[in-house]
Amino acid sequence: MTAIPNRIGSIDQDVFKQLESEVRSYCRSFDTVFAKAKGARLWDKKGREYIDFFAGAGALNYGHNNERIRSRIVDYMMNDGITHSLDMATEAKERFLLTFQHKILKPRGLSYKLMFPGPTGTNSVESALKIARKVTGRTNVIAFTNAFHGMSLGSLAATGNAYKRGGAGVSLSGTTFLPYDGYMGPLFDTSLLMEKMLNDAGSGVDKPAAVIVETMQGEGGLNAASAKWLQRLESLCREHEMLLIVDDVQMGCGRTGTFFSFEEAGIRPDIVCLSKSIGGYGLPMALTLIKPEYDIWNPGEHNGTFRGNNLGFVAATEAIAFWEDGTLELRIKEHSFSIRKFLERTAARYGGKIKEVRGKGMIQGLVFNNPDDAGQLCRKAFERGVIMETSGSRDEVAKLMPPLTIEKELLAEGMAKLEASLSEMYDFAEQKEPVGIHP
Amino acid sequence: MTAIPNRIGSIDQDVFKQLESEVRSYCRSFDTVFAKAKGARLWDKKGREYIDFFAGAGALNYGHNNERIRSRIVDYMMNDGITHSLDMATEAKERFLLTFQHKILKPRGLSYKLMFPGPTGTNSVESALKIARKVTGRTNVIAFTNAFHGMSLGSLAATGNAYKRGGAGVSLSGTTFLPYDGYMGPLFDTSLLMEKMLNDAGSGVDKPAAVIVETMQGEGGLNAASAKWLQRLESLCREHEMLLIVDDVQMGCGRTGTFFSFEEAGIRPDIVCLSKSIGGYGLPMALTLIKPEYDIWNPGEHNGTFRGNNLGFVAATEAIAFWEDGTLELRIKEHSFSIRKFLERTAARYGGKIKEVRGKGMIQGLVFNNPDDAGQLCRKAFERGVIMETSGSRDEVAKLMPPLTIEKELLAEGMAKLEASLSEMYDFAEQKEPVGIHP
Amino acid sequence: MTAIPNRIGSIDQDVFKQLESEVRSYCRSFDTVFAKAKGARLWDKKGREYIDFFAGAGALNYGHNNERIRSRIVDYMMNDGITHSLDMATEAKERFLLTFQHKILKPRGLSYKLMFPGPTGTNSVESALKIARKVTGRTNVIAFTNAFHGMSLGSLAATGNAYKRGGAGVSLSGTTFLPYDGYMGPLFDTSLLMEKMLNDAGSGVDKPAAVIVETMQGEGGLNAASAKWLQRLESLCREHEMLLIVDDVQMGCGRTGTFFSFEEAGIRPDIVCLSKSIGGYGLPMALTLIKPEYDIWNPGEHNGTFRGNNLGFVAATEAIAFWEDGTLELRIKEHSFSIRKFLERTAARYGGKIKEVRGKGMIQGLVFNNPDDAGQLCRKAFERGVIMETSGSRDEVAKLMPPLTIEKELLAEGMAKLEASLSEMYDFAEQKEPVGIHP
Amino acid sequence: MTAIPNRIGSIDQDVFKQLESEVRSYCRSFDTVFAKAKGARLWDKKGREYIDFFAGAGALNYGHNNERIRSRIVDYMMNDGITHSLDMATEAKERFLLTFQHKILKPRGLSYKLMFPGPTGTNSVESALKIARKVTGRTNVIAFTNAFHGMSLGSLAATGNAYKRGGAGVSLSGTTFLPYDGYMGPLFDTSLLMEKMLNDAGSGVDKPAAVIVETMQGEGGLNAASAKWLQRLESLCREHEMLLIVDDVQMGCGRTGTFFSFEEAGIRPDIVCLSKSIGGYGLPMALTLIKPEYDIWNPGEHNGTFRGNNLGFVAATEAIAFWEDGTLELRIKEHSFSIRKFLERTAARYGGKIKEVRGKGMIQGLVFNNPDDAGQLCRKAFERGVIMETSGSRDEVAKLMPPLTIEKELLAEGMAKLEASLSEMYDFAEQKEPVGIHP
């Protein structure tokens, strides 16, 4: 047996470059090898510390290695609790079902059956589209410009991004893309076009099984739909007997300020897709919530080997405790406010460079006039020890999405580093330029 | 906040019936609530013990709560190791990459880049189909009768089962189904039809990007392809510049006797899909192995939130140690032999009821003339404390797939229980029949 | 051999009801059996005369049994001219090619290669879409709300009407429907949405091979696109390297006032589809005009048995003579003007019932507030001896489209009959109502 | 107005090369310009005579300019009969309906409703597939290797030829291709594979709406299905409630010896597609015959501008008279026999070059070992004044399909010319070779 070369310990990514596929992406932006993490902090092999303003793209809302959750998982494991069970009934799952029912759904007056698809967001979306098509007997689904719903073919067909769609290698069909709220500017209510096309038997839009929507588009560039627009969607869905699917994979579990991102708009989706932070500890898990009257699945009609990730159930059950009193909501509110203030101040300062502030809750960002600047900010922030990413179809938005549980001081420290990065980009550059003797 | 009703402790599935979707399936066959598991044993809430002849459909090849693996995971967690990292570089991933390279690929003379798609088999298949289509610029893919490749739309299009396909709610396209090895009986070599159709520009089979094949069809009824037939596939792939994809999600990681199921046939697939037991401990994880020359992904062209399940990397790294010396292979060989002997003896005894013995390695089963009998055997076995399932398009096969690491005595005990179940079904019934006064 | 029952002579449609498929449609509106026709007049078996305000939906622009054309056809036939030749070269075809080149294309400064697909509009559209996809290597095509392009699956995918699409029995894909000019009212320029979606890599609109457009939508309800909007389409096509396809099947050959309907807008489509009146005499024939640089067909890559209907060539060649001096254009202009005047007067008179006048050239109509009224007008007109039809997705438009060659007096007579019909519908009814003693 | 250059009179194809699309095909094989035709003879501009062994690919079964039919058409025209009527009821159509009912259907004990789709074969196929999908509510359709059903997307999806499919520019879906009778040689009954796949819920073949089949594949290379195999298809259709569609576009109207090609096999298709020679005189016309119980179309659910080509009705009505007594059938029988004898003698003589004789009735041909030889024979025959074409996916078959009405002497003359051509190719070449002093 060949010995493994002792690469462990070095900080560069040679091993990844040699052995991992070219498809890897985030590791290209963050060129180090991470070793440890706690709360909103990460450390690389050399011990360098980073503030996490990315939070696993929303999978780490409760931070890294949360101790309360961890102790539950470890106890469970040490007690020979069941890790993998397909969809057999286990104590861990039972506890999660009850907790979710009584601590999340009931207090919000919501009534859903819980489906456990494969443990990823895309699987939840695939299952949502399937059941919507089954319920209605229709095939078409309305999705929106700049939507992101996942990478397997069913979900990808509802995803707007040309780069990602191009990867399919086949034509993606079964979806009609309509303009998201605000797509044509503030003066044109895009729901009117949808209404007209649905009411017009000549529009070429085949009667849809469902509308799938993110209340705020994360990957799409932090575009937030107004409550009014979401309510219009809901009423169009009722009128045309389409199911309303809210993809809350990224915005759910508190990211925008409430457990479900649609609570504020007061709508009642027929189906809700959850994943990312539902696993509580960064563990793969996904949920599809289905109104009981639409839960017409036959047994096993959609399945998957890891639909029962019991460690995820254990972690999720504990994570839900965060929502029992109002403490977390309050903290999100305060954090959101300070992020907003910071971003608006920044946008005002660099008015010529920054187009606007977008987003809400603990996912907000700056839209740059020059998309490259968003990437540059992320790179400079990384040099200063902050991990953050861009979004938008031109990667023009630099976004802040720390764990919801981040400490106030650490959040402030991270924002200060962003401020310094921007200053380096613009103030320093501006000063230098007149001085420099460039060709 | 409403208190959670104290259901925990009761053994029935009321909670699941009320709160979980109708899509649940296995829990319907095994009507109890499981609480603990160790090795090849499970216990339900009441403390009743079961022998596991199902092994998470292949996700628990090393058994439940393997202590060596568990201690690695717990250590890693307690040391604030990184749980979730999207595809950022981590120590845990680096260690896995090196281990897989040096302990799995190199000794077998294989050269692949490793891609981490979402952590499920279907995601690996989706990524395999995408890259094959990208490499070749073609869209069609050849799949086989009774193939199972997953439930998201891309994979489902390559899955033969009408019930599962029907769940899509849309037409599934982009695949041509051809007869698997032995489909028309032993006298007709089905690869000849494939060859003819590929060579005939009038066959209506659009030039394929790839052939996707399981070396043995698990869900499809334990149909095993011969080495010769697989070699024919490989050479047709070379001739027509199609990629050969082996879906080793269920048969890989040792299930058939070698780490990869295709080792015996001596073929070199262009792409290999792994999942289930690669996560080592029942943890969600998937791998797509791609020949370096076909690794032409652009960064992030296929991605997913949980493509970096670090606990899975930690577990997988330790699990690979099982393959360092020949101990496990030897054990599988012995177990396989005793399972075979048992099944053949059984088939001989109930010749009128049992059509044949199918499968190999540690996934073998009995094909019943009357499909209902396969289900009945599983039910009776469950009553006696053995967990096993059916497969095949008519659920006509009762299959044994215990953890590879099962103890010899436990395996024997489980088989004895099957013997008793069959005897109850047939001998007892047979005895009774002459007594009865049927109309 | 059974004798044929002597049904010939009776005027009812019993034979059709018994022997012809339920799919028949226009014969349901016009419940008689027609026997003869000349110019803009038809007669049924009983000798009853009808004025033709329908003109074969645009296939009879030069009227029925035009004597000049007829004499050419009969001479050709009696001289053993070739009727059917697949796409072999014939004198008749050569003459048509030269005539079309020198009398239609050259004087308008247009340069196209002529393709003869099967002899119907839908075949021309199918061929146009194929070549556009081949030229660009893309698959998506932009079509517009309320477009009608034909009934075979390729064309039907670009047709908006839900009833017709529903007949496909399969999902129609490969097209994106965007709002036609004026779809959202006069204040919203729908080309802006198209522009935005094309420029936005996140819009979900896959880069199109082509835009297919009718300059005026006949079946869709006489919606006419403005010159400015068409010019915007053309420039978006140039910018995004999409081909501009004008489907001139119904509006071409003079219906809107010029030979091609797009002449006024001054655009240069990359592909033009012609059929209906190109056959000159109601004979099946279709043409696909392709800019020479895009004529990259391989031989026989699109074909069809009747792509060489030589009687159609003979008739078409003679029909083109109508376009040699300005006489026909002038007549169309005069007719159009008097139709407009009549319709506007009518619309003014029945303001509460009629929403607006639509269309241009010799295809204009009345849009009724109550769609049923459009159908009622057609029925009443038929009773008075005028043949006309409705269009629009709710059949809300009653349209006038007589042969371009109709005599001034006959046109006036037909319009007078319409006036009487409307008067019967509204004035008489209105008068009666106060008198009636309804509950 | 530009004068037309005086090209008329020259025999070369310059005009076509300059003005017609590159898609033209047959005119490339037959490099002249045809001017007149009568019976089974054509003449080009220079007056050179050709014997027609191609018959418009089956559209001229009654020969060119048949005088009986012509006089009917001309009389009808001169009498101001209606040429174009969409699907309005006309005397000409009524007469055709009655004639077809009483002279074709009734004597054969067949009961069908008649649908007039657009006037081409592909339109008939499109309509057949639509109604089959509507009747069954299923989407998949079984088609066969080397099938040809047309070039619009619906029909093309059921066409096997890769070159033609490639022209679509989109993925063609909704069809499953299975091996035609004899595809795997005489020892393997391909209907067994179909049976197995239909009965196996895991085969990946979605339950089909219909099976579409040619009783003999013309374009596919003159492969004739046996009566037994067709009967098996029929019974599988009954068993699985699929509709049996016979595409009789090329083989119908007497080509194989009986009016419908399926008469001999004694099957009762649910739908029959007719076109080509149904128009009697080479005029565009198509028919879809539908069993009354499946005629569930809604009005206008499938339509087309030229679905009522009245000159076609007039010609067809007269053409049917050929089938009133047995004269034509007898002639076909005699001709078929002499063609067979000739081909078999020829095949025997050039055993090393010619693989076999294929086809039946008046469409038979020689399969060459070297596909180029088939093309060479056609070229040499053309030099000698015989028009014939190749078929098969490698163009390996040289086929004879003269008008059914060809005179005995002319048929013999044509065959003599073929004999001379073959002799030139093989005998002369063989002799010369030893003599020549080639490098």
Side-chain angles (χ1 to χ4, degrees), chain A residues 32-93:
Chain A
T32 187
V33 180
F34 293 98
K36 296 173 61 169
K38 190 84 183 176
R41 283 188 175 88
L42 292 103
W43 292 269
D44 67 17
K45 279 181 171 186
K46 282 251 175 97
R48 212 189 151 209
E49 185 181 314
Y50 301 86
I51 301 173
D52 190 353
F53 272 19
F54 191 24
L60 291 160
N61 283 1
Y62 310 106
H64 297 266
N65 283 302
N66 180 285
E67 297 202 1
R68 267 169 61 186
I69 303 176
R70 181 171 68 191
S71 86
R72 293 287 184 178
I73 302 172
V74 171
D75 282 359
Y76 182 82
M77 288 174 74
M78 295 314 293
N79 201 29
D80 289 329
I82 287 169
T83 299
H84 180 277
S85 65
L86 293 157
D87 75 346
M88 290 192 260
T90 63
E91 262 187 325
K93 191 188 205 176

Side-chain angles (χ1 to χ4, degrees), chain B residues 410-432:
Chain B
L410 201 59
L411 177 60
E413 191 187 327
M415 295 194 293
K417 284 170 190 281
L418 297 196
E419 198 159 22
S421 303
L422 282 163
S423 181
E424 186 193 332
M425 282 167 62
Y426 296 139
D427 301 332
F428 187 56
E430 305 276 314
Q431 283 166 17
K432 271 206 321 199

Side-chain angles (χ1 to χ4, degrees), chain C residues 19 21 23 25-26 34 45 70 77 80 87 89 94 114 126 130 151 153 163 276 295 298-300 305, chain D residues 19 21 23 25-26 34 45 70 77 80 87 89 94 114 126 130 151 153 163 276 295 298-300 305:
Chain C
L19 304 181
S21 161
V23 81
S25 60
Y26 290 122
F34 294 97
K45 280 180 168 184
R70 181 171 68 190
M77 288 174 72
D80 290 331
D87 74 347
E94 186 173 43
L114 272 66
E126 295 262 349
K130 279 186 185 179
M151 298 298 275
L153 289 197
Y163 181 73
K276 294 204 188 264
D295 180 32
N298 287 321
T305 297
Chain D
L19 304 182
S21 162
V23 81
S25 61
Y26 290 123
F34 293 97
K45 281 181 169 186
R70 181 170 67 190
M77 287 174 73
D80 290 329
D87 73 348
E94 186 173 43
L114 272 66
E126 295 263 349
K130 279 187 185 179
M151 297 297 274
L153 290 197
Y163 181 72
K276 295 201 186 267
D295 180 32
N298 287 321
T305 298

Side-chain angles (χ1 to χ4, degrees), chain D residues 247-297:
Chain D
D247 177 342
D248 229 10
V249 167
Q250 187 167 88
M251 296 306 147
C253 300
R255 181 53 57 186
T256 62
T258 48
F259 186 82
F260 294 112
S261 73
F262 55 80
E263 294 177 32
E264 200 182 301
I267 58 172
R268 289 271 178 278
D270 301 298
I271 303 178
V272 181
C273 300
L274 282 180
S275 182
K276 295 201 186 267
S277 277
I278 188 69
Y281 194 77
L283 294 176
M285 179 175 159
L287 263 183
T288 312
L289 307 179
I290 305 170
K291 279 193 181 164
E293 59 266 40
Y294 300 134
D295 180 32
I296 60 167
W297 287 109

Side-chain angles (χ1 to χ4, degrees), chain B residues 24-202:
Chain B
R24 66 195 191 283
S25 60
Y26 289 123
C27 61
R28 296 172 193 260
S29 307
F30 308 113
D31 189 11
T32 187
V33 180
F34 294 97
K36 296 174 62 168
K38 191 85 182 175
R41 284 188 175 89
L42 292 103
W43 293 268
D44 66 18
K45 279 181 170 186
K46 283 250 176 97
R48 208 185 155 214
E49 185 180 315
Y50 301 87
I51 301 173
D52 190 352
F53 271 19
F54 191 23
L60 291 160
N61 282 1
Y62 310 105
H64 297 267
N65 284 302
N66 179 285
E67 297 202 1
R68 267 169 63 186
I69 302 177
R70 181 171 68 190
S71 88
R72 293 287 184 178
I73 302 173
V74 171
D75 281 358
Y76 181 81
M77 288 174 72
M78 294 314 293
N79 200 28
D80 289 330
I82 287 170
T83 300
H84 180 277
S85 65
L86 293 157
D87 73 348
M88 291 191 260
T90 63
E91 263 187 326
K93 191 187 204 177
E94 187 173 42
R95 213 180 293 265
F96 172 76
L97 283 167
L98 287 166
T99 305
F100 194 82
Q101 172 69 10
H102 293 285
K103 302 215 169 141
I104 298 293
L105 296 182
K106 268 214 170 155
R108 288 164 181 79
L110 296 169
S111 173
Y112 291 114
K113 297 291 280 297
L114 271 67
M115 173 183 181
F116 302 95
T120 65
T122 195
N123 231 309
S124 176
V125 170
E126 295 263 349
S127 67
L129 297 176
K130 280 187 184 179
I131 193 67
R133 283 166 170 147
K134 181 171 187 181
V135 165
T136 59
R138 305 173 187 161
T139 59
N140 192 26
V141 165
I142 289 179
F144 294 99
T145 50
N146 288 299
F148 179 82
H149 297 296
M151 298 297 275
S152 50
L153 290 197
S155 309
L156 190 53
T159 292
N161 191 285
Y163 182 71
K164 295 185 170 76
R165 292 174 72 80
V170 294
S171 284
L172 296 167
S173 61
T175 34
T176 297
F177 282 87
L178 293 180
Y180 192 74
D181 193 19
Y183 193 70
M184 296 306 292
L187 296 179
F188 181 72
D189 177 354
T190 61
S191 72
L192 294 176
L193 177 62
M194 184 169 159
E195 180 182 34
K196 173 99 198 229
M197 286 184 126
L198 288 171
N199 285 328
D200 175 6

